[in-house]
């Protein structure tokens, strides 16, 4: 109980730091993330460079800090887009005619049949690599899940007793939809989204790792991890710190997401 | 069930076909070699050869016809039938994923059954969270660094000795194991909160009997659905794991095909993945009623598992 | 010599004492009932006899003997050898109390496996046991799974499994609560016969009607203590404690409200049918006169809710006609008040929304909300709470208040008191009777509880499998039931 | 890995780890591919007319003897008469003609091999006897013998050319058929190529007979660290394309051979027909704004020398005088950019002129090794210091070609190995197939033409010196460093030889454990 509180507190605090790094990297960074200094390449973590330097002598700490915006940003952007798309498509499908709804759900089911990461890969194949394309790919890969949840929620809420009660009381259909159905759907979606952000960050990092995302010299965690893997034995810090950054960010998002879900389900703590 | 299966496969084929059409740029220029100074006439010839000059609907019909005959076209880059390209690389990936699945299930069972309460349980839950929050390539790199470069227990790469498959399979297995053990544990916990668990204990049963004879089976139903879904997702993971461990296999082929825009191969992978989904689901649909007889009456549905679990 | 012997039982959960100073004796062949309001500590007390308290509970006891064995300081392993063998538990919801994935036969045999009894003859024993609890076709049923059995059959199977190792004590915690009246009566008879065969039976219930049928002796619990005990006849006829008196009174048949007199015909329902996966309502016809209260009664699944919903217009009949002679404001109070409120909204906001939909001007809504809450006997402060933060009775009142916001002329109530405790139930029924006379409401009242129907309704419709099998004035129908099903219902209830 | 079978090791298998990432992208045929790796692996299958010895001289191979006509336009080869392709077809004058004609056929889409065969200058091949063949050119063509010694001008079985030439880029057991010491017996794209000994082989360079090893298994391992790893763990016997940073970690049991590539060093090509590099001052500024010495020295651990010229020091005709002639000088770079009018500065410190940013787009072809990435980062960082923005795009081969074709980039990069300085023709000639800088200068074309026909060594050296100096001033190409092909071989590997490019040759190789 207390451990869980502490865990949640740490998660919130860590995400706050990540957010700070993403919005105002210069407050935290000690160096220019792009500035190379080949003479001090592969320096171990120390006073001059907190997290050491990479093969071109760039400061790993500053790159991790500057990478936050891109790495977390892709995840956030993708999740936000997926939630909006899911909400619109899913709730429309939920209130449409049975045939339309059934057709839309079949398409979603077919998309759900494929592993998310494979879909993201294929979308990048079609669009070509790049930061924005990765965000789009991750969105498309994630969206069917949100569509389905939004649709199920819309359906359930549409026939839920409290919505029915409102209807019997004479509340109009539009008002019922916007006041009772939509907020409920959005609520479930946002809880899912908090957990989904983690997945999106991981998927985006995977694409970057494969060289399909942002390209050097841009600081991005997946890319940095990939860049250091050949010198792991000699300069572990190049990969380890961005790796930790990803893991901790995703853990934090997940912990918060789970807490939100627990709250939404009414069991506290 | 057959209808759902056919629907998924048809959907996949259509998706694959659309991938061909949506791609920006001229497919022929993409497929022709580097710095090709080729006249328009030659390009037109290639286009005709591939049937790209025909109306889209006609192309679609002939593509679906090909798929029905088991013909997925010819790879642009490898100039080989796609079925052969995939067939050749299927072996290593199949070995890898099968072993990964086995390891994952064993780990998940061990974790869910042995770490039932107390500190062990808390540690396992934290471990699962860490594994699930770490990119699979990062897990692979850490395992490589520790067990191959560091301790030297396993070879770094290669395909020939049996030991080379251990680390990649473990990498692929860990996130799957973490997911399955989470779901299994939740399922067991939930089952043990149900009144029947109290009945069983009131008969004088030990907790081991309760778990093994009763609640495990309840938990297994959810875990089975999830495991089935994860079998599909292993293919996605294989792309990363095969890259990290420099292993040959379908993952690498997929990645190369994607990078080179070898669309017939990409389409083939889409079809394969749909086929895997369908087969796995058929098997699961057959297994489910054995685990949970209440389901016998219900018609089979093709569905991915609950959403939060898809990580 | 008592088979169950308890002195000074005390249970603490998280530092709170929830059961204290409980002494208890049950002799062989005796059926002892423990009654009391929800939360009184009945379940904890009997679970303590099996050593099965929830995590975090601490139990101390001066003396504890089960079937001659001293269980005072037992550890888990010791308890295990008692459970099932000397004392067995049959709990509330039999569908959930049997492992849904296993065959009935395996469930019954499990106790024998655990205690290594009847090796080699277990299948035979299972069939015998199932037969002994009067389960029809025991061989076939042994191979069925719980979901394939009806509620009553499941309860029998559960009791059979409890008896498998021939325990000296059977604990039945709310063993009949979830059952229909007819089925309930049969299970109670079974419990009585088990006691008559020489076992000690400990029966937990909050339902005095059930207790009356089986118990030799009754213990009344309140706030974790036994406040009164005696023979069943004593307690039921001349309770000493005010609390017991209230409990008995609440369970006793309520005085009938006087007949309200016939008004104009408001509603004509002709040959209405509705199917879902199977028929839900079949050829229902009746009329409703202004100012009357009509009860709809029947077993679970007989179509009561469906019919009520069609009256309100949220469900359309497939066939037939529902015709209001003049336009009426009809309101529905749902079966489950928790689900009927938006969980994210406060009660006040939900009522305000209803007022707005009814056209009450913005400025007056606040005051109207307060007066509605007052009308159903709720404090205004409760309007700031969310549905989950209210008790069952409070929620039901709030639901009624919201329905009144639309100033209805006709109120359709779906099982408004079924989920409530007997004392709370009495208060809600009083409220309804008062509202009806104050507001001149016409009421349709759905229930499966004949006693409730009898006390509050003028007319009654008896439904079975979707059809109205009998209808008429409550007095006539209850006094002279014509349909065999009605007779069965009445017999079970009394 | 090498398992000793018979006493003489005739069943031995040798495992050779190479990078090979792009082979599957249609690069299995050296006659059409311009990738070094293609010739390197297919050398096992492809023999050449002549062999180039380590000292640069030529010795007989498939040709017993040869003659060059007085006017330098016609080469007459007397072929061996005992050579057969591994599919049983005889190697004869017709086979030579079929191969050479195929290479220059525009439908073949060959770039490098066609250029080595003289390109436009190729007049035709004539079979004057069953085993006599005449290759003629429209003008004297000096580099031909050298070209004829490479795998790019090796010979596929005429039957393959007839039936399945279109499958050669993809490669495969029944397609990749030559006369070489090995037969390609298995090929799994992106995974491995298995070559099996050609038991009939008796026509190798310097009298080489059938190889000692039975199987040469080529493992395609794109990760440098993995190649090093398999070599250390004994899973591979030989590994090539090792980056300098792993060499130190290989251990004492591994013999490391580094051979400096002859030819064009690793360079940046500045597209002078596009964007900011149209201005020579900008190109000059670019070249002196980079601290090449420091970057190359640090990133390659001092293993590779920085380059001063567009020819490597081991290439005949190298102009040593250029060494030290254009040192790193940020001040000079700034001055040059000021002179060129890029005097305003944007908010981010990038120079501007008439509202346009001083920005250049660099397209790079994947995969890119870590050290080249590090070098690129250093270059970008150095240029940013003088207000010059470099945007680098990493492109997969297909996407790269989409940009390369219409020449819509400012910078691209590669190195190009070749023993003859004539390789500059493809990079600086107006019609050169690798003319990424889009140089179009009649004076340069004239020099290249003269280099082609001059047969006197000193005269050729003079011509190529002029070309190198032209570039030093003109800066179409910025050479960065001279790389080496680093090969490690495990203990027990014997008889490994290397060609002029440092590629291992397996004619006499043996492996024992
Ligand atoms: N697991 C538990 N954790 C905390 N408190 C509990 C637990 N179980 C019971 N209690 C508390 O102990 C008290 C007695 O509960 P008990 O279940 O014995 O009541 P009961 O008389 O059986 O009521 P009901 O008629 O509703 O079944 C209640 O106040 C309840 O809230
Ligand atoms: N929305 C629905 N969809 C499908 N079947 C339904 C639906 N509503 C009711 N039914 C079915 O119609 C039949 C009658 O149900 P109804 O809810 O009217 O019974 P009831 O008498 O109110 O039962 P209870 O006492 O359990 O509330 C049942 O078999 C039920 O399963
Ligand atoms: Mg209870
Ligand atoms: Mg109902």
């Amino acid at each position: 109980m207390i451990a869980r509180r502490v865990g949640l507190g740490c998660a919130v605090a860590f995400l706050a730091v990540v957010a700070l790094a993403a919005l105002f990297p210069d407050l935290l960074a000690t160096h220019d993330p792009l500035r190379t200094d080949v003479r001090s390449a592969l320096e171990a973590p120390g006073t001059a460079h907190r997290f050491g330097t990479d093969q071109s002598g760039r400061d790993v700490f500053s790159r991790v800090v500057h990478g936050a915006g891109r790495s977390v940003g892709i995840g956030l952007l993708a999740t936000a887009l997926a939630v909006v798309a899911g909400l619109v498509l899913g709730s429309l499908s939920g209130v449409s005619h049975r045939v339309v709804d059934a057709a839309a759900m079949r398409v979603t089911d077919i998309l759900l049949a494929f592993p998310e990461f494979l879909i993201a890969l294929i979308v990048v194949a079609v669009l070509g690599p790049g930061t924005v394309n990765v965000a789009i790919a991750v969105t498309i890969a994630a969206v069917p899940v949100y569509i389905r949840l939004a649709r199920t929620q819309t359906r359930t809420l549409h026939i839920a007793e409290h919505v029915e009660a409102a209807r019997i009381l004479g509340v109009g259909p539009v008002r019922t939809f916007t006041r009772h159905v939509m907020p409920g759907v959005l609520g479930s979606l946002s809880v899912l989204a908090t957990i989904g952000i983690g997945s999106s960050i991981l998927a985006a990092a995977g694409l970057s790792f494969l060289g399909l995302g942002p390209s050097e010299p841009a600081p991005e965690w997946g890319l940095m991890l990939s860049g250091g893997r050949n010198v792991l034995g000699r300069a572990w810090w190049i990969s380890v710190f961005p790796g930790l950054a990803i893991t901790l960010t995703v853990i934090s998002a997940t912990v918060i997401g789970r807490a939100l879900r627990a709250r939404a389900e009414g069991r506290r703590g | 069930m057959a209808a759902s299966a056919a629907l998924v496969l048809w959907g996949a084929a259509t998706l694959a076909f659309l991938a061909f059409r949506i791609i920006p740029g001229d497919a022929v220029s993409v497929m022709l070699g580097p710095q090709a100074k080729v006249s328009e006439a030659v390009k037109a010839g290639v286009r005709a050869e591939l049937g790209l000059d025909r109306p889209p609907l006609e192309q679609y019909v002939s593509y679906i016809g090909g798929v029905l005959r088991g013909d997925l076209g010819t790879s642009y880059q490898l100039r080989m039938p796609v079925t052969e390209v995939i067939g050749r690389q299927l072996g290593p990936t199949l070995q890898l994923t099968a072993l990964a699945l086995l390891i994952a299930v064993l780990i998940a069972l061990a974790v869910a059954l042995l770490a039932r309460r107390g500190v062990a349980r808390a540690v396992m839950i934290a471990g699962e969270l860490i594994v699930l929050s770490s990119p699979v390539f990062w897990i692979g790199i850490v395992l490589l660094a520790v067990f191959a470069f560091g301790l030297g227990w396993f070879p770094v790469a290669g395909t020939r000795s049996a030991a080379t498959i251990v680390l990649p399979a473990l990498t692929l297995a860990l996130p799957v194991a973490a997911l399955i053990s989470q779901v299994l544990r939740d399922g067991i916990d939930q089952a043990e909160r149900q009144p029947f668990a109290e009945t069983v204990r009131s008969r004088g049963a030990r907790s081991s009997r309760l778990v093994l004879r009763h609640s495990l089976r309840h938990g297994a139903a959810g875990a089975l659905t999830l495991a089935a879904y994860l079998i599909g997702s292993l293919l996605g993971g294989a792309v990363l794991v095969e890259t990290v461990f420099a292993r040959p296999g379908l993952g690498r082929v997929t990645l190369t095909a994607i990078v080179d825009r070898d669309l017939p191969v990409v389409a083939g992978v889409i079809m394969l993945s749909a086929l895997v989904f369908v087969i796995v689901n058929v098997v699961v649909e057959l297994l489910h009623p054995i685990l949970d007889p209440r389901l016998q009456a219900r018609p089979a549905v093709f569905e991915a598992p609950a959403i939060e679990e898809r990580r | 010599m008592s088979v169950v012997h308890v002195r000074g039982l005390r249970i603490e959960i998280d530092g709170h004492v929830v059961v204290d100073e409980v002494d208890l004796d049950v002799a062989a062949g005796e059926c002892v009932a423990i009654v009391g309001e929800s939360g009184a500590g009945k379940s904890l007390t009997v679970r303590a006899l099996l050593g099965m308290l929830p995590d975090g509970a601490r139990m101390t006891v001066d003396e504890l003997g089960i079937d001659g064995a001293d269980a005072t300081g037992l550890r888990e392993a010791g308890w295990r050898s008692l459970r099932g063998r000397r004392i067995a538990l049959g709990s509330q919801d039999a569908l959930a109390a049997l492992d849904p994935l296993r065959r009935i036969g395996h469930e019954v045999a499990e106790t024998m496996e655990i205690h290594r009894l009847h090796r080699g003859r277990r299948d035979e024993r299972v069939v015998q046991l199932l037969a002994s609890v009067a389960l029809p076709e025991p061989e076939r049923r042994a191979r069925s799974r719980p979901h394939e059995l009806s509620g009553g059959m499941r309860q029998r199977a559960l009791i059979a499994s409890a008896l498998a190792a021939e325990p000296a004590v059977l604990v039945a915690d709310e063993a009949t609560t979830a059952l229909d009246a007819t089925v309930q009566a049969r299970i109670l008879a079974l419990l009585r016969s088990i006691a008559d065969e020489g076992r000690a039976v400990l029966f937990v219930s909050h339902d005095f009607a059930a207790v009356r049928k089986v118990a030799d002796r009754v213990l009344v619990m309140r706030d974790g203590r036994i406040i009164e005990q005696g023979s069943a006849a004593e307690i039921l006829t001349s309770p000493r404690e005010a609390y017991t008196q209230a409990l008995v009174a609440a369970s006793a048949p309520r005085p009938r409200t006087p007949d309200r007199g016939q008004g104009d015909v408001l509603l004509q329902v002709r040959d209405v049918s509705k199917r879902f996966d199977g028929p839900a309502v079949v050829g229902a016809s009746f009329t409703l006169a202004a100012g009357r209260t009509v009860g709809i009664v029947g077993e679970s699944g007989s179509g009561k809710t469906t019919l009520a919903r069609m009256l309100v217009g949220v469900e359309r009949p497939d066939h037939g006609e529902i015709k209001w002679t003049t336009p009426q404001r009809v309101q529905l109070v749902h079966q489950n008040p928790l689900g009927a409120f938006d969980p994210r909204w406060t009660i006040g906001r939900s009522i305000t929304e209803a007022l707005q939909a009814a056209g009450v001007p913005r400025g007056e809504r606040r005051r109207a909300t307060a007066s509605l809450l007052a009308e159903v006997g709720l404090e205004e402060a409760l309007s700031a709470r969310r549905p989950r933060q209210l008790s069952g009775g409070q929620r039901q009142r709030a639901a009624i208040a919201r329905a009144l916001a639309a100033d209805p002329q006709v109120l359709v109530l779906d099982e408004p008191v079924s989920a409530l405790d007997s004392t709370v139930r009495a208060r809600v029924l009083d409220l309804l009777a008062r509202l009806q006379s104050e507001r001149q409401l016409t009421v349709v009242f759905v229930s499966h509880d004949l006693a409730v129907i009898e006390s509050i309704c003028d007319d009654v419709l008896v439904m079975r499998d979707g059809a109205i099998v009998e209808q008429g004035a409550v007095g006539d129908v209850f006094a002279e039931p014509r349909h065999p099903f009605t007779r069965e219902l009445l017999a079970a209830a009394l | 890995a090498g398992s000793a079978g018979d006493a003489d090791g005739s069943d031995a298998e040798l495992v050779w780890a190479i990078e090979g990432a792009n082979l599957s992208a249609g690069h299995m045929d050296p006659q059409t591919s311009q990738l070094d790796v293609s010739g390197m692996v297919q050398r096992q299958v492809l023999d050449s007319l002549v062999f180039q010895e380590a000292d640069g001289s030529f010795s007989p191979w498939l040709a017993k003897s040869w003659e060059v006509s007085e006017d330098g336009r016609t080469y007459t080869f007397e072929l061996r008469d005992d050579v057969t392709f591994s599919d049983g077809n005889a190697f004869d004058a017709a086979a030579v003609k079929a191969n050479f004609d195929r290479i220059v056929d525009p439908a073949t889409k060959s770039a490098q091999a066609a250029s080595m065969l003289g390109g436009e200058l190729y007049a035709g091949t004539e079979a004057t006897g069953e085993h006599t063949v005449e290759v003629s050119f429209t003008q004297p063509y000096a580099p031909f013998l050298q070209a004829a010694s490479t795998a790019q001008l090796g010979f596929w079985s005429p039957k393959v050319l007839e039936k399945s030439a279109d499958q050669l880029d993809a490669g495969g057991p029944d397609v990749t058929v030559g006369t070489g010491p090995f037969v390609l017996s298995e090929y799994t794209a992106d995974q491995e190529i298995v070559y099996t000994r050609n038991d009939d082989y008796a026509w190798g360079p310097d009298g080489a007979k059938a190889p000692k090893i039975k199987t040469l298994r080529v493992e395609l391992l794109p990760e440098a660290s993995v190649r090093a790893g398999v070599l250390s763990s004994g899973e591979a016997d030989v590994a090539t394309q090792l980056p300098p940073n792993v060499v130190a970690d290989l251990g004492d049991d591994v013999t490391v051979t580094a051979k400096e590539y002859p030819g064009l060093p690793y360079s940046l090509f500045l597209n002078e027909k596009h964007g900011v590099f149209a201005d020579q001052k900008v190109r000059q500024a670019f070249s002196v704004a980079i601290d090449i010495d420091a970057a190359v020295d640090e990133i390659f651990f001092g293993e590779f020398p920085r380059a001063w010229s567009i020819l490597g020091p081991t290439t005949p005709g190298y102009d040593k005088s250029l060494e030290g002639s254009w040192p790193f000088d940020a001040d000079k770079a700034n001055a040059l950019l000021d002179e060129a009018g890029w005097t305003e500065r944007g908010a981010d410190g990038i120079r501007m002129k008439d509202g346009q940013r001083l920005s250049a787009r660099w397209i790079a072809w994947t995969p890119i090794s870590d050290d080249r990435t590090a070098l690129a980062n250093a270059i970008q960082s150095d240029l940013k210091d003088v207000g010059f923005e470099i945007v680098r795009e990493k492109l997969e081969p297909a996407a790269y070609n989409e940009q390369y074709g219409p020449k819509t980039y400012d910078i691209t990069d590669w190195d190009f190995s070749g023993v003859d300085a004539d390789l500059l023709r493809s990079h600086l000639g107006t019609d050169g197939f690798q003319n990424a800088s889009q140089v179009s200068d009649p004076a340069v074309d004239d020099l290249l033409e003269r280099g082609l026909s001059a047969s006197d060594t000193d005269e050729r050296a003079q011509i190529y010196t002029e070309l190198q100096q032209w570039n030093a001033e003109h800066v179409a190409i910025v050479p960065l460093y001279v790389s080496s092909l680093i090969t490690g071989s495990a203990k027990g590997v014997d008889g490994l030889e290397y060609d002029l490019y440092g590629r291992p040759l397996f004619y006499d190789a043996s492996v024992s454990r």
Side-chain angles (χ1 to χ4, degrees), chain C residues 305 335 414-415:
Chain C
T305 299
Q335 186 159 355
D414 190 2
E415 312 257 17

Side-chain angles (χ1 to χ4, degrees), chain A residues 5-261:
Chain A
R5 278 271 170 74
V6 172
L8 191 60
C10 290
V12 172
F14 185 79
L15 281 197
V17 173
V18 171
L20 186 68
L23 295 175
F24 309 103
D26 293 325
L27 286 183
L28 297 175
T30 51
H31 293 72
D32 176 347
L34 300 182
R35 167 109 214 158
T36 63
D37 177 6
V38 285
R39 278 173 234 275
S40 56
L42 299 182
E43 262 178 28
T47 43
H49 299 280
R50 276 179 218 174
F51 290 177
T53 60
D54 68 4
Q55 295 98 319
S56 329
R58 294 173 300 189
D59 181 56
V60 174
F61 176 73
S62 303
R63 288 179 64 74
V64 169
V65 167
H66 277 266
R70 207 174 251 101
S71 301
V72 178
I74 295 178
L76 271 179
L77 179 67
T79 311
L81 287 177
V83 166
V84 171
L87 183 65
V88 171
L89 295 175
S91 53
L92 277 182
S93 172
V95 295
S96 337
H97 186 266
R98 276 232 308 273
V99 179
V100 179
D101 178 48
M105 281 308 110
R106 281 290 88 77
V107 174
T108 319
D109 280 351
I110 289 172
L111 286 178
L112 281 169
F114 299 100
E116 266 178 50
F117 193 66
L118 191 64
I119 296 193
L121 271 176
I122 291 168
V123 174
V124 172
V126 171
L127 298 179
T131 310
V132 177
N133 290 353
V134 163
I136 296 175
V138 174
T139 305
I140 292 180
V143 97
V145 170
Y146 292 96
I147 293 184
R148 205 172 70 167
L149 181 65
R151 183 262 185 184
T152 328
Q153 285 289 314
T154 310
R155 285 257 141 167
T156 344
L157 283 175
H158 207 63
I159 56 164
E161 287 184 354
H162 70 266
V163 177
E164 187 179 286
R167 227 174 283 133
I168 296 171
L169 286 165
V171 180
V174 174
R175 203 183 152 88
T176 323
F177 190 73
T178 53
R179 291 295 172 91
H180 292 281
V181 178
M182 278 294 239
V185 177
L186 191 60
S188 343
L189 285 197
S190 20
V191 169
L192 175 60
T194 346
I195 299 175
I197 289 175
S199 306
S200 297
I201 293 178
L202 289 183
L207 294 174
S208 295
F209 178 80
L210 293 175
L212 300 172
S215 51
E216 280 277 1
E220 196 279 335
W221 295 342
L223 189 64
M224 292 170 69
L225 224 168
S226 167
R229 72 188 143 132
N230 278 334
V231 286
L232 212 53
R234 171 193 298 253
W236 51 267
W237 52 89
I238 302 177
S239 290
V240 164
F241 289 110
L244 279 179
I246 297 178
T247 302
L248 291 177
T249 307
V250 176
I251 288 182
S252 305
T254 311
V255 164
I256 293 173
R258 284 185 186 171
L260 284 181
R261 185 175 55 186

Side-chain angles (χ1 to χ4, degrees), chain C residues 24 26 50 53 61 88 105 159 192 240 268 271 277 288 318:
Chain C
L24 178 67
V26 189
L50 287 105
L53 290 172
V61 67
I159 292 172
R192 184 64 249 175
R240 287 188 308 273
Q268 286 199 312
D271 200 25
D277 305 324
L288 179 63
D318 299 336

Side-chain angles (χ1 to χ4, degrees), chain D residues 182-363:
Chain D
F182 292 92
V183 177
L184 187 149
S185 54
E186 266 175 61
Y187 169 45
T188 317
D190 292 319
Q191 187 174 342
E192 64 173 10
I193 312 174
V194 181
Y195 294 103
T196 312
R197 177 172 58 212
N198 178 359
D199 285 317
D200 300 333
Y201 194 71
W203 46 83
D206 298 326
K209 300 272 187 288
K212 299 202 171 97
I213 49 172
K214 166 96 177 162
T215 315
L216 174 65
R217 188 180 289 274
V218 184
E219 297 281 354
L220 310 180
L221 299 172
E223 299 290 336
S225 57
V226 172
R227 287 197 297 281
V230 292
L231 185 61
S232 307
S233 72
E235 272 200 87
D237 305 297
V238 178
T240 33
Q241 293 157 296
L242 297 174
N245 64 5
V246 306
V247 168
D249 302 337
L250 282 176
D252 298 340
D253 286 351
V254 174
T255 313
V256 177
T257 311
K259 190 115 183 175
E260 225 169 84
Y261 277 114
L264 182 79
Y266 179 71
S267 310
L268 300 181
F269 298 82
L270 310 184
N271 186 352
E272 34 174 88
K273 294 282 186 313
H274 186 82
V276 298
F277 286 129
D279 186 339
Q280 178 161 329
K281 289 212 169 77
V282 175
R283 298 200 298 271
Q284 285 169 341
F286 178 91
S287 71
V288 294
I290 310 168
D291 190 355
I292 301 176
D293 277 308
V296 168
D297 190 52
E298 291 291 333
I299 290 169
F300 298 101
F301 299 92
E303 297 270 336
F304 296 160
R306 81 147 293 174
W308 292 101
S309 170
I310 49 175
L311 287 179
T314 57
T315 325
Y318 173 66
D319 180 9
K320 204 170 160 53
S321 72
L322 287 177
E323 288 178 16
S325 65
W326 47 286
F328 167 58
D329 188 345
D331 296 339
K332 184 174 168 197
N334 275 317
L336 281 165
L337 291 172
D338 288 343
E339 273 174 49
W342 295 93
T343 44
E344 300 155 45
R345 293 272 180 163
D348 51 357
I350 299 300
R351 288 170 182 268
M352 312 265 294
K353 180 165 94 177
D354 309 331
Q356 192 202 346
R357 285 163 69 80
L358 181 59
S359 173
R361 205 161 57 91
W362 175 353
I363 59 168

Side-chain angles (χ1 to χ4, degrees), chain C residues 153-167:
Chain C
M153 284 154 89
R154 283 198 290 261
Q155 196 67 53
R156 282 165 197 277
L158 182 63
I159 292 172
S161 95
L163 297 178
E166 292 166 24

